[in-house]
Amino acid sequence: MNSTLGTTTQYLDVTGGRIAYDDTPGAGVPVVLLPGMLDKRSAYRHLAPLLTAAGHRVVTMDLRGLGESSTGFADHGPAAIADDLVALLVHLDLHGAVLVGSSYTGATVVRAAALAPERTGGVVLIDAFVENLPLNGFQKALFGLVGPLVAAFPGLWSALQKFYYPTERPADFDAYRAGLAEMLREPARKGALRGYLKGDSAPIGWCAAVDTPALVVMGDRDPDFPKPELVADRQSAALRGRKVMIENAGHYPMASHPQAVADAMLPFLADLSR
């Protein structure tokens, strides 16, 4: 089966099911890309080619219950996904891999870096939830309302995608979000949908166990954060890393501003290779 990234889908059996991934060869630092909540690994369809063109081995992984991974998992939390990620690192015998998490999976790659330091060369967070400031009253009410609505009406998540791209959108935006809606309407996905909406995407304290170079990439117009740069400052301080703000980008800069994200990541990767 061919993925939307143009490489062959492969599968890895893990506890509770199987995980889909693809693996594009390259001699440079290996990069493992994880999408965010209720998304597919093709979220990186515009960024991954830029990384492979620079010579890096690029692996993208579908999350539990999403994309081409199997459904029926009991746990969809960041820690459980981190176990899947570590299993994939071992399966591919990767060492010095840079683990990239977007949104919900920021916490996942931080956890995996702590679990498998011998296989991790660095961590990149893209508009991620980890070590974030507590939600205020309005945000709690908003998330409390949106979660049940999305669970009841999966197509709503596709509609909300417009909100996350406040400026530029990729040329294939409408087709991509239609694909997300189609995926989430599948009856077998309902358990995964509920699991992700209930998961804690921003656990506090996980970064303290990570001792690896880190890069925080954040869109300066991300609607999920009232003050995106403040969140980026908090995360980069917790990981003792650097930050790059992507101008005029929302929550998914790897899709809306792939070249800017590549320009942030490639020097980081080059530093690791030295």
Side-chain angles (χ1 to χ4, degrees), residues 93-123:
D93 195 26
L94 293 180
H95 295 271
V98 172
L99 313 180
V100 182
S102 163
S103 190
Y104 187 88
T105 55
T108 291
V109 298
V110 167
R111 176 80 168 180
L115 292 174
E118 73 284 357
R119 296 185 178 274
T120 304
V123 169

PDB file of all heavy atoms in Angstrom, residues 93-123:
ATOM      1  N   ASP A  93      16.160   0.120  14.426  1.00  0.00           N
ATOM      2  CA  ASP A  93      17.529   0.221  14.938  1.00  0.00           C
ATOM      3  C   ASP A  93      18.102   1.628  14.712  1.00  0.00           C
ATOM      4  O   ASP A  93      19.230   1.805  14.246  1.00  0.00           O
ATOM      5  CB  ASP A  93      18.434  -0.824  14.292  1.00  0.00           C
ATOM      6  CG  ASP A  93      19.752  -0.987  15.054  1.00  0.00           C
ATOM      7  OD1 ASP A  93      19.773  -0.705  16.266  1.00  0.00           O
ATOM      8  OD2 ASP A  93      20.762  -1.377  14.429  1.00  0.00           O
ATOM      9  N   LEU A  94      17.295   2.626  15.049  1.00  0.00           N
ATOM     10  CA  LEU A  94      17.715   4.016  14.895  1.00  0.00           C
ATOM     11  C   LEU A  94      18.498   4.474  16.120  1.00  0.00           C
ATOM     12  O   LEU A  94      18.128   4.176  17.255  1.00  0.00           O
ATOM     13  CB  LEU A  94      16.502   4.922  14.699  1.00  0.00           C
ATOM     14  CG  LEU A  94      15.710   4.741  13.398  1.00  0.00           C
ATOM     15  CD1 LEU A  94      14.536   5.717  13.366  1.00  0.00           C
ATOM     16  CD2 LEU A  94      16.599   4.940  12.184  1.00  0.00           C
ATOM     17  N   HIS A  95      19.562   5.208  15.863  1.00  0.00           N
ATOM     18  CA  HIS A  95      20.346   5.832  16.920  1.00  0.00           C
ATOM     19  C   HIS A  95      20.553   7.291  16.543  1.00  0.00           C
ATOM     20  O   HIS A  95      20.753   7.625  15.372  1.00  0.00           O
ATOM     21  CB  HIS A  95      21.695   5.130  17.085  1.00  0.00           C
ATOM     22  CG  HIS A  95      21.582   3.714  17.564  1.00  0.00           C
ATOM     23  ND1 HIS A  95      21.566   3.385  18.900  1.00  0.00           N
ATOM     24  CD2 HIS A  95      21.456   2.551  16.873  1.00  0.00           C
ATOM     25  CE1 HIS A  95      21.453   2.068  19.025  1.00  0.00           C
ATOM     26  NE2 HIS A  95      21.374   1.535  17.816  1.00  0.00           N
ATOM     27  N   GLY A  96      20.500   8.165  17.522  1.00  0.00           N
ATOM     28  CA  GLY A  96      20.673   9.589  17.246  1.00  0.00           C
ATOM     29  C   GLY A  96      19.527  10.197  16.471  1.00  0.00           C
ATOM     30  O   GLY A  96      19.701  11.212  15.782  1.00  0.00           O
ATOM     31  N   ALA A  97      18.333   9.604  16.570  1.00  0.00           N
ATOM     32  CA  ALA A  97      17.182  10.108  15.819  1.00  0.00           C
ATOM     33  C   ALA A  97      16.628  11.375  16.456  1.00  0.00           C
ATOM     34  O   ALA A  97      16.608  11.521  17.676  1.00  0.00           O
ATOM     35  CB  ALA A  97      16.087   9.046  15.759  1.00  0.00           C
ATOM     36  N   VAL A  98      16.178  12.280  15.612  1.00  0.00           N
ATOM     37  CA  VAL A  98      15.493  13.482  16.081  1.00  0.00           C
ATOM     38  C   VAL A  98      14.002  13.205  16.062  1.00  0.00           C
ATOM     39  O   VAL A  98      13.430  12.851  15.025  1.00  0.00           O
ATOM     40  CB  VAL A  98      15.837  14.692  15.199  1.00  0.00           C
ATOM     41  CG1 VAL A  98      14.968  15.894  15.582  1.00  0.00           C
ATOM     42  CG2 VAL A  98      17.310  15.050  15.352  1.00  0.00           C
ATOM     43  N   LEU A  99      13.375  13.339  17.217  1.00  0.00           N
ATOM     44  CA  LEU A  99      11.961  13.023  17.389  1.00  0.00           C
ATOM     45  C   LEU A  99      11.151  14.308  17.303  1.00  0.00           C
ATOM     46  O   LEU A  99      11.368  15.239  18.086  1.00  0.00           O
ATOM     47  CB  LEU A  99      11.733  12.334  18.738  1.00  0.00           C
ATOM     48  CG  LEU A  99      12.700  11.190  19.078  1.00  0.00           C
ATOM     49  CD1 LEU A  99      12.351  10.595  20.442  1.00  0.00           C
ATOM     50  CD2 LEU A  99      12.705  10.127  17.994  1.00  0.00           C
ATOM     51  N   VAL A 100      10.228  14.356  16.359  1.00  0.00           N
ATOM     52  CA  VAL A 100       9.455  15.576  16.098  1.00  0.00           C
ATOM     53  C   VAL A 100       7.997  15.326  16.448  1.00  0.00           C
ATOM     54  O   VAL A 100       7.353  14.427  15.891  1.00  0.00           O
ATOM     55  CB  VAL A 100       9.581  16.000  14.620  1.00  0.00           C
ATOM     56  CG1 VAL A 100       8.820  17.305  14.374  1.00  0.00           C
ATOM     57  CG2 VAL A 100      11.051  16.149  14.228  1.00  0.00           C
ATOM     58  N   GLY A 101       7.461  16.129  17.359  1.00  0.00           N
ATOM     59  CA  GLY A 101       6.066  16.019  17.751  1.00  0.00           C
ATOM     60  C   GLY A 101       5.310  17.291  17.434  1.00  0.00           C
ATOM     61  O   GLY A 101       5.835  18.392  17.602  1.00  0.00           O
ATOM     62  N   SER A 102       4.077  17.137  16.982  1.00  0.00           N
ATOM     63  CA  SER A 102       3.217  18.274  16.665  1.00  0.00           C
ATOM     64  C   SER A 102       2.009  18.267  17.588  1.00  0.00           C
ATOM     65  O   SER A 102       1.371  17.231  17.777  1.00  0.00           O
ATOM     66  CB  SER A 102       2.749  18.171  15.205  1.00  0.00           C
ATOM     67  OG  SER A 102       1.632  19.007  14.950  1.00  0.00           O
ATOM     68  N   SER A 103       1.716  19.406  18.183  1.00  0.00           N
ATOM     69  CA  SER A 103       0.514  19.553  18.996  1.00  0.00           C
ATOM     70  C   SER A 103       0.481  18.493  20.099  1.00  0.00           C
ATOM     71  O   SER A 103       1.344  18.459  20.965  1.00  0.00           O
ATOM     72  CB  SER A 103      -0.726  19.492  18.095  1.00  0.00           C
ATOM     73  OG  SER A 103      -1.896  19.847  18.778  1.00  0.00           O
ATOM     74  N   TYR A 104      -0.472  17.577  20.062  1.00  0.00           N
ATOM     75  CA  TYR A 104      -0.672  16.550  21.099  1.00  0.00           C
ATOM     76  C   TYR A 104       0.571  15.696  21.328  1.00  0.00           C
ATOM     77  O   TYR A 104       0.815  15.254  22.455  1.00  0.00           O
ATOM     78  CB  TYR A 104      -1.846  15.683  20.665  1.00  0.00           C
ATOM     79  CG  TYR A 104      -2.330  14.650  21.656  1.00  0.00           C
ATOM     80  CD1 TYR A 104      -3.296  14.974  22.615  1.00  0.00           C
ATOM     81  CD2 TYR A 104      -1.865  13.340  21.606  1.00  0.00           C
ATOM     82  CE1 TYR A 104      -3.777  14.024  23.499  1.00  0.00           C
ATOM     83  CE2 TYR A 104      -2.344  12.377  22.487  1.00  0.00           C
ATOM     84  CZ  TYR A 104      -3.295  12.728  23.440  1.00  0.00           C
ATOM     85  OH  TYR A 104      -3.767  11.784  24.315  1.00  0.00           O
ATOM     86  N   THR A 105       1.349  15.431  20.272  1.00  0.00           N
ATOM     87  CA  THR A 105       2.480  14.519  20.405  1.00  0.00           C
ATOM     88  C   THR A 105       3.782  15.209  20.815  1.00  0.00           C
ATOM     89  O   THR A 105       4.833  14.568  20.832  1.00  0.00           O
ATOM     90  CB  THR A 105       2.706  13.715  19.115  1.00  0.00           C
ATOM     91  OG1 THR A 105       2.855  14.614  18.012  1.00  0.00           O
ATOM     92  CG2 THR A 105       1.546  12.773  18.869  1.00  0.00           C
ATOM     93  N   GLY A 106       3.704  16.488  21.164  1.00  0.00           N
ATOM     94  CA  GLY A 106       4.887  17.115  21.756  1.00  0.00           C
ATOM     95  C   GLY A 106       5.273  16.391  23.034  1.00  0.00           C
ATOM     96  O   GLY A 106       6.449  16.074  23.271  1.00  0.00           O
ATOM     97  N   ALA A 107       4.292  16.105  23.862  1.00  0.00           N
ATOM     98  CA  ALA A 107       4.548  15.373  25.103  1.00  0.00           C
ATOM     99  C   ALA A 107       5.063  13.968  24.813  1.00  0.00           C
ATOM    100  O   ALA A 107       5.912  13.435  25.540  1.00  0.00           O
ATOM    101  CB  ALA A 107       3.271  15.305  25.936  1.00  0.00           C
ATOM    102  N   THR A 108       4.572  13.368  23.733  1.00  0.00           N
ATOM    103  CA  THR A 108       4.994  12.012  23.371  1.00  0.00           C
ATOM    104  C   THR A 108       6.482  11.950  23.077  1.00  0.00           C
ATOM    105  O   THR A 108       7.188  11.056  23.558  1.00  0.00           O
ATOM    106  CB  THR A 108       4.198  11.524  22.144  1.00  0.00           C
ATOM    107  OG1 THR A 108       2.841  11.312  22.522  1.00  0.00           O
ATOM    108  CG2 THR A 108       4.776  10.233  21.593  1.00  0.00           C
ATOM    109  N   VAL A 109       6.993  12.883  22.260  1.00  0.00           N
ATOM    110  CA  VAL A 109       8.412  12.800  21.896  1.00  0.00           C
ATOM    111  C   VAL A 109       9.301  13.144  23.090  1.00  0.00           C
ATOM    112  O   VAL A 109      10.412  12.617  23.217  1.00  0.00           O
ATOM    113  CB  VAL A 109       8.742  13.680  20.674  1.00  0.00           C
ATOM    114  CG1 VAL A 109       7.952  13.202  19.454  1.00  0.00           C
ATOM    115  CG2 VAL A 109       8.489  15.159  20.921  1.00  0.00           C
ATOM    116  N   VAL A 110       8.826  14.013  23.976  1.00  0.00           N
ATOM    117  CA  VAL A 110       9.578  14.296  25.200  1.00  0.00           C
ATOM    118  C   VAL A 110       9.677  13.034  26.053  1.00  0.00           C
ATOM    119  O   VAL A 110      10.755  12.687  26.557  1.00  0.00           O
ATOM    120  CB  VAL A 110       8.910  15.444  25.980  1.00  0.00           C
ATOM    121  CG1 VAL A 110       9.471  15.554  27.393  1.00  0.00           C
ATOM    122  CG2 VAL A 110       9.101  16.770  25.244  1.00  0.00           C
ATOM    123  N   ARG A 111       8.573  12.350  26.200  1.00  0.00           N
ATOM    124  CA  ARG A 111       8.558  11.106  26.976  1.00  0.00           C
ATOM    125  C   ARG A 111       9.465  10.048  26.341  1.00  0.00           C
ATOM    126  O   ARG A 111      10.226   9.367  27.033  1.00  0.00           O
ATOM    127  CB  ARG A 111       7.124  10.589  27.043  1.00  0.00           C
ATOM    128  CG  ARG A 111       6.946   9.250  27.732  1.00  0.00           C
ATOM    129  CD  ARG A 111       6.948   9.388  29.219  1.00  0.00           C
ATOM    130  NE  ARG A 111       6.508   8.149  29.859  1.00  0.00           N
ATOM    131  CZ  ARG A 111       6.409   7.998  31.174  1.00  0.00           C
ATOM    132  NH1 ARG A 111       6.687   9.003  31.977  1.00  0.00           N
ATOM    133  NH2 ARG A 111       6.012   6.847  31.682  1.00  0.00           N
ATOM    134  N   ALA A 112       9.392   9.893  25.026  1.00  0.00           N
ATOM    135  CA  ALA A 112      10.212   8.898  24.335  1.00  0.00           C
ATOM    136  C   ALA A 112      11.700   9.215  24.466  1.00  0.00           C
ATOM    137  O   ALA A 112      12.521   8.299  24.607  1.00  0.00           O
ATOM    138  CB  ALA A 112       9.807   8.824  22.864  1.00  0.00           C
ATOM    139  N   ALA A 113      12.053  10.493  24.417  1.00  0.00           N
ATOM    140  CA  ALA A 113      13.455  10.871  24.570  1.00  0.00           C
ATOM    141  C   ALA A 113      13.981  10.481  25.940  1.00  0.00           C
ATOM    142  O   ALA A 113      15.148  10.091  26.091  1.00  0.00           O
ATOM    143  CB  ALA A 113      13.617  12.372  24.352  1.00  0.00           C
ATOM    144  N   ALA A 114      13.123  10.579  26.960  1.00  0.00           N
ATOM    145  CA  ALA A 114      13.519  10.178  28.309  1.00  0.00           C
ATOM    146  C   ALA A 114      13.609   8.661  28.429  1.00  0.00           C
ATOM    147  O   ALA A 114      14.477   8.138  29.131  1.00  0.00           O
ATOM    148  CB  ALA A 114      12.534  10.729  29.329  1.00  0.00           C
ATOM    149  N   LEU A 115      12.730   7.937  27.725  1.00  0.00           N
ATOM    150  CA  LEU A 115      12.722   6.478  27.793  1.00  0.00           C
ATOM    151  C   LEU A 115      13.875   5.857  27.015  1.00  0.00           C
ATOM    152  O   LEU A 115      14.367   4.784  27.390  1.00  0.00           O
ATOM    153  CB  LEU A 115      11.394   5.940  27.242  1.00  0.00           C
ATOM    154  CG  LEU A 115      10.132   6.225  28.043  1.00  0.00           C
ATOM    155  CD1 LEU A 115       8.901   5.742  27.278  1.00  0.00           C
ATOM    156  CD2 LEU A 115      10.191   5.559  29.416  1.00  0.00           C
ATOM    157  N   ALA A 116      14.268   6.498  25.918  1.00  0.00           N
ATOM    158  CA  ALA A 116      15.290   5.915  25.048  1.00  0.00           C
ATOM    159  C   ALA A 116      16.365   6.944  24.700  1.00  0.00           C
ATOM    160  O   ALA A 116      16.542   7.304  23.536  1.00  0.00           O
ATOM    161  CB  ALA A 116      14.644   5.369  23.784  1.00  0.00           C
ATOM    162  N   PRO A 117      17.113   7.415  25.701  1.00  0.00           N
ATOM    163  CA  PRO A 117      18.121   8.437  25.421  1.00  0.00           C
ATOM    164  C   PRO A 117      19.229   7.949  24.491  1.00  0.00           C
ATOM    165  O   PRO A 117      19.820   8.743  23.745  1.00  0.00           O
ATOM    166  CB  PRO A 117      18.672   8.776  26.811  1.00  0.00           C
ATOM    167  CG  PRO A 117      18.368   7.570  27.640  1.00  0.00           C
ATOM    168  CD  PRO A 117      17.069   7.047  27.120  1.00  0.00           C
ATOM    169  N   GLU A 118      19.502   6.635  24.516  1.00  0.00           N
ATOM    170  CA  GLU A 118      20.559   6.098  23.673  1.00  0.00           C
ATOM    171  C   GLU A 118      20.174   6.084  22.198  1.00  0.00           C
ATOM    172  O   GLU A 118      21.045   5.937  21.325  1.00  0.00           O
ATOM    173  CB  GLU A 118      20.906   4.673  24.128  1.00  0.00           C
ATOM    174  CG  GLU A 118      19.879   3.610  23.784  1.00  0.00           C
ATOM    175  CD  GLU A 118      18.622   3.610  24.650  1.00  0.00           C
ATOM    176  OE1 GLU A 118      18.534   4.431  25.599  1.00  0.00           O
ATOM    177  OE2 GLU A 118      17.732   2.780  24.387  1.00  0.00           O
ATOM    178  N   ARG A 119      18.901   6.246  21.895  1.00  0.00           N
ATOM    179  CA  ARG A 119      18.437   6.260  20.512  1.00  0.00           C
ATOM    180  C   ARG A 119      18.005   7.649  20.051  1.00  0.00           C
ATOM    181  O   ARG A 119      17.625   7.823  18.893  1.00  0.00           O
ATOM    182  CB  ARG A 119      17.288   5.262  20.325  1.00  0.00           C
ATOM    183  CG  ARG A 119      17.726   3.821  20.549  1.00  0.00           C
ATOM    184  CD  ARG A 119      16.630   2.829  20.242  1.00  0.00           C
ATOM    185  NE  ARG A 119      17.117   1.460  20.420  1.00  0.00           N
ATOM    186  CZ  ARG A 119      17.755   0.747  19.494  1.00  0.00           C
ATOM    187  NH1 ARG A 119      17.964   1.295  18.304  1.00  0.00           N
ATOM    188  NH2 ARG A 119      18.160  -0.479  19.733  1.00  0.00           N
ATOM    189  N   THR A 120      18.031   8.605  20.944  1.00  0.00           N
ATOM    190  CA  THR A 120      17.517   9.946  20.652  1.00  0.00           C
ATOM    191  C   THR A 120      18.663  10.943  20.521  1.00  0.00           C
ATOM    192  O   THR A 120      19.494  11.080  21.424  1.00  0.00           O
ATOM    193  CB  THR A 120      16.564  10.410  21.761  1.00  0.00           C
ATOM    194  OG1 THR A 120      15.517   9.451  21.924  1.00  0.00           O
ATOM    195  CG2 THR A 120      15.964  11.762  21.419  1.00  0.00           C
ATOM    196  N   GLY A 121      18.690  11.648  19.397  1.00  0.00           N
ATOM    197  CA  GLY A 121      19.708  12.678  19.200  1.00  0.00           C
ATOM    198  C   GLY A 121      19.190  14.077  19.451  1.00  0.00           C
ATOM    199  O   GLY A 121      19.964  15.006  19.668  1.00  0.00           O
ATOM    200  N   GLY A 122      17.885  14.244  19.437  1.00  0.00           N
ATOM    201  CA  GLY A 122      17.307  15.560  19.648  1.00  0.00           C
ATOM    202  C   GLY A 122      15.797  15.493  19.624  1.00  0.00           C
ATOM    203  O   GLY A 122      15.201  14.481  19.233  1.00  0.00           O
ATOM    204  N   VAL A 123      15.176  16.582  20.066  1.00  0.00           N
ATOM    205  CA  VAL A 123      13.717  16.688  20.119  1.00  0.00           C
ATOM    206  C   VAL A 123      13.303  17.998  19.463  1.00  0.00           C
ATOM    207  O   VAL A 123      13.923  19.040  19.693  1.00  0.00           O
ATOM    208  CB  VAL A 123      13.218  16.657  21.581  1.00  0.00           C
ATOM    209  CG1 VAL A 123      11.751  17.035  21.660  1.00  0.00           C
ATOM    210  CG2 VAL A 123      13.431  15.280  22.190  1.00  0.00           C
TER     211      VAL A 123
END
